[in-house]
Amino acid sequence: MEFNVKFKDYSPATWQKINSTLENVLTEQKTPIAAFDADGTLWDIDLGETFFHYLIDHKKVRLPADPWTHYEELKKQSPTAAYLWLAQICEGQTLKNIHEWAKEALQGAHPVPVFGPQKQLVDLFISRGVQVYI
């Protein structure tokens, strides 16, 4: 993974606030959870679109003749409709297949340009027993 991509480090004051907030949460909750939107938050690529390109390139699911244009046109009309369409194109596939395809798509995206400060934040949470979801 590539780190420190286009992402400014947190200031010492922000790290102090993160740590004090984390301490408060840990005293109040047995199993705290942190959830992150991934694309543009943790790394500098859109993994959903990377996966979609993989599906197109490898003809893994039934798609319109020009799926990328179809997606872009939907997105112009309604981003929600476009994202819902993307969420449904794997309908009927096994979870095992989708996991395998996602791994293969990610291999083609290496190195994932992870933002260094975000990696530090996630590592901090994990080291303190926070369940992290992306």
Side-chain angles (χ1 to χ4, degrees), residues 78-97:
S78 166
T80 301
Y83 300 141
L84 287 173
W85 179 73
L86 283 180
Q88 296 171 2
I89 61 175
C90 290
E91 180 181 17
Q93 297 296 325
T94 66
L95 192 55
K96 181 181 177 184
N97 279 350

Side-chain angles (χ1 to χ4, degrees), residues 34-73:
F36 294 88
D37 170 65
D39 305 325
T41 303
L42 297 177
W43 44 72
D44 195 26
I45 61 173
D46 186 320
L47 288 179
E49 289 186 358
T50 299
F51 182 62
F52 184 46
H53 276 287
Y54 173 84
L55 294 176
I56 293 169
D57 295 345
H58 294 86
K59 298 176 176 41
K60 295 293 188 179
V61 296
R62 287 186 44 195
L63 294 167
D66 188 351
W68 189 255
T69 299
H70 178 76
Y71 166 68
E72 289 296 329
E73 288 300 318

